Amino acid sequence: MDGRAGMSGFVARHGLWSDAQQAAAERLRRRVADGGIEAIRFAFPDQHGILRGKTVLAGQLDSFLRGGCAITSTLLLKDTSHRTVVPLWTREAAPPENLRGGSDVVMVADPETFHLLPWAPGTAGVLCDLHHPDGRPVALATRHVARSALARLAEAGFGYLGGLEVELHVFRLVDARLATGAATQPGPAPSVALIGHGYQYLTDQRLDQYGPVLDIVRETCAGLALPLRTMELEFGPGQIELTFAPRPGLGLADDMVLLRSALKQALRRQGYHATFMCRPALDNCFSSGWHLHQSLFGADGGNAFAPGEGEMLSPVARRFAAGLLAHARDGCVLTTPTVTGYKRYRPHSLAPDGIAWGRDNRAAMLRIVPGTEPAAAHLENRVGDPAANPYLYLASQILAGLDGIAQAMEPPPVSETPYDGTIERLPASLAEAVALFRASPFWRAALGEDFVDYYARIKQAEVDRFHAQVTDWEQREYFDIF
């Protein structure tokens, strides 16, 4: 299919770029014209935070920048097995976006996200936003959801600053399981081996054994201009942690979606398998989390969370925290959208299992980080699944926190013993989280009825498929005794 058909001048006709994006597009054109780049990947983050798109040859770049790139709307209707959840030729596929019949939407490049792919010589990439053929943004597209949340925050007089702290596992790839009989949906998991034993948290000797992997991580992040600060050896076998410098606004979510895609590709080319799955079903593996460090800044650029004399945090920060705590249960599907993610919520595990906040307490869902000076004070939300869609994670924090500010909420007292069983629990399963989200008046008002129904349906499809399978636990438990 010709992605340019009928879309000449689409971006200019609908006024889709800011002055900064126009300037970035000119720089992009000059960079490609200078040579060395043969292909540019146009990709948008789908409802799961997975990049999907097409590759444009360098000689065709200008046409696709001006006219956009057509892509099938069915990609918005798939669960994590890539199955289309909503039948395309029924009334259900029409509202709210009229996606019936597998119609096209238009990927419009965001030129400010242009990046070279250090693992793929001669190849660059650019993140895209989705629009309807009449120029309207696709409301279900999650980058648009996050941008809308940031706009609401700006209307309240604040900007968002967030820093990534994310854990993942890296293994040596033994067998990719690519025999023709393995072409199932989804396919079988690859066979892997350890690159080092676990249980030697932050030891320098063990860290050195991971050197070849960490070199790939460092070079990939540098090539993508991701603000990597530290690489750490975590407790579990094959588990590492990466931390990044804070970024304002949408930058944090763009960084995370690029990081996941890039590391999986770059490490795979060198014979490794990287996974952001929360808890791989491998012997002795430990759960991984995504801790989101965050604060707000005011019109003067100062930290709106900075405490006054004798305070832990400012009143704005307290209210923001109260909103995060108030909406943690019904918004959990936005921070923990996988079946496996709920198996991380265990007591005495350095992962939260309840809704509490505490001063520099890593057992609490919300950790108050006072910093070495008031300007560095912020909140760390430890609830997140590394597989979460970063745009929805970001939006959930902003919208919940804004509600806390708007309603002048006050958080409960800080907890020194978050595992004592007296606090409200986080959802115990994805099924529970989906039901809470679907029934939430707050999220229906904050995200819109259509988005809540849509996203709940996508996630419910995964829950239903999971419950339809007979697990290894069931086989061991019942096959012999009954």
Side-chain angles (χ1 to χ4, degrees):
M1 178 189 297
D2 184 353
R4 299 165 293 172
M7 284 182 276
S8 178
F10 182 83
V11 171
R13 185 163 63 251
H14 297 291
L16 301 181
W17 281 346
S18 66
D19 290 344
Q21 288 174 309
Q22 291 279 6
E26 287 306 312
R27 293 194 298 272
L28 191 165
R29 291 183 179 99
R30 290 195 297 270
R31 175 64 183 84
V32 173
D34 287 343
I37 297 176
E38 299 173 357
I40 303 92
R41 297 182 188 176
F42 280 48
F44 78 95
D46 75 357
Q47 53 277 18
H48 310 291
I50 297 169
L51 290 180
R52 299 180 186 265
K54 300 182 180 182
T55 296
V56 172
L57 298 185
Q60 303 297 314
L61 174 65
D62 184 65
S63 178
F64 281 93
L65 284 177
R66 290 185 293 104
C69 180
I71 195 163
T72 177
S73 61
T74 60
L75 297 175
L76 293 166
L77 303 175
K78 295 185 182 297
D79 65 9
T80 47
S81 73
H82 308 282
R83 298 169 190 257
T84 301
V85 171
V86 182
L88 296 180
W89 293 276
T90 65
R91 294 183 183 277
E92 296 169 288
E97 302 280 8
N98 193 21
L99 304 181
R100 190 183 299 156
S103 57
D104 279 344
V105 290
V106 185
M107 285 195 301
V108 173
D110 180 349
E112 293 185 288
T113 67
F114 175 75
H115 50 275
L116 298 176
L117 305 187
W119 67 92
T123 306
V126 64
L127 295 179
C128 298
D129 293 301
L130 295 185
H131 291 262
H132 289 288
D134 62 5
R136 289 177 298 122
V138 174
L140 300 181
T142 57
R143 199 166 187 257
H144 172 74
V145 171
R147 188 181 283 110
S148 296
L150 285 164
R152 290 180 58 179
L153 185 65
E155 290 173 1
F158 297 106
Y160 184 89
L161 187 68
L164 297 174
E165 177 186 334
V166 63
E167 296 163 344
L168 68 149
H169 288 85
V170 182
F171 304 102
R172 191 174 302 282
L173 183 64
V174 175
D175 182 0
R177 310 286 296 276
L178 294 177
T180 55
T184 56
Q185 192 174 358
S191 175
V192 298
L194 298 180
I195 57 175
H197 293 101
Y199 315 114
Q200 296 196 22
Y201 178 55
L202 294 183
T203 53
D204 189 67
Q205 178 182 355
R206 187 71 78 203
L207 184 71
D208 189 67
Q209 294 176 9
Y210 284 62
V213 165
L214 296 179
D215 287 345
I216 296 170
V217 171
R218 174 178 49 78
E219 292 165 3
T220 302
C221 289
L224 292 171
L226 301 181
L228 180 66
R229 295 199 306 183
T230 65
M231 301 182 292
E232 305 169 19
L233 189 67
E234 262 296 338
F235 194 69
Q239 191 178 40
I240 61 176
E241 178 181 282
L242 308 176
T243 70
F244 295 81
R247 294 257 280 167
L250 206 61
L252 172 144
D254 287 344
D255 284 354
M256 183 61 173
V257 79
L258 286 174
L259 175 74
R260 285 198 306 222
S261 182
L263 291 190
K264 290 184 72 68
Q265 295 178 56
L267 286 163
R268 180 64 174 256
R269 289 194 178 204
Q270 300 301 319
Y272 299 100
H273 178 73
T275 181
F276 290 80
M277 178 183 179
C278 177
R279 190 178 181 89
L282 299 171
D283 292 342
N284 306 311
C285 266
F286 279 70
S287 297
S288 292
W290 171 6
H291 305 157
L292 185 54
H293 295 257
Q294 55 193 324
S295 62
L296 303 183
F297 56 88
D300 61 355
N303 183 5
F305 283 9
E309 187 69 30
E311 296 178 330
M312 288 189 298
L313 290 170
S314 72
V316 167
R318 289 178 57 84
R319 292 168 181 172
F320 191 90
L324 297 185
L325 295 168
H327 299 299
R329 271 179 58 79
D330 57 4
C332 204
V333 71
L334 302 172
T335 62
T336 308
T338 67
V339 169
T340 317
Y342 293 84
K343 298 176 181 179
R344 171 175 165 259
Y345 297 156
R346 298 183 176 187
H348 308 291
S349 66
L350 288 178
D353 69 341
I355 302 168
W357 72 323
R359 180 182 174 87
D360 205 10
N361 190 324
R362 286 178 166 83
M365 188 194 90
L366 275 188
R367 174 181 167 230
I368 302 168
V369 185
T372 55
E373 55 187 38
H378 65 274
L379 292 168
E380 175 193 2
N381 195 337
R382 299 173 63 83
V383 76
D385 182 338
N389 180 314
Y391 303 98
L392 296 182
Y393 195 171
L394 173 64
S396 75
Q397 303 301 280
I398 292 171
L399 296 173
L402 268 177
D403 191 50
I405 294 172
Q407 303 297 328
M409 294 182 186
E410 276 299 317
V414 296
S415 174
E416 299 301 329
T417 56
Y419 293 133
D420 67 4
T422 62
I423 62 174
E424 188 175 22
R425 301 291 96 183
L426 288 162
S429 67
L430 181 59
E432 183 182 357
V434 170
L436 288 166
F437 180 66
R438 180 182 279 124
S440 168
F442 169 74
W443 291 110
R444 287 188 173 276
L447 293 171
E449 299 273 356
D450 289 332
F451 185 86
V452 169
D453 289 339
Y454 157 77
Y455 192 68
R457 177 165 186 165
I458 294 287
K459 302 314 296 184
Q460 186 64 47
E462 294 170 33
V463 171
D464 292 345
R465 284 193 299 106
F466 172 73
H467 286 306
Q469 299 295 314
V470 177
T471 66
D472 291 342
W473 185 94
E474 293 167 286
Q475 188 75 357
R476 290 194 304 269
E477 191 79 4
Y478 305 129
F479 190 61
D480 183 46
I481 194 171
F482 290 117

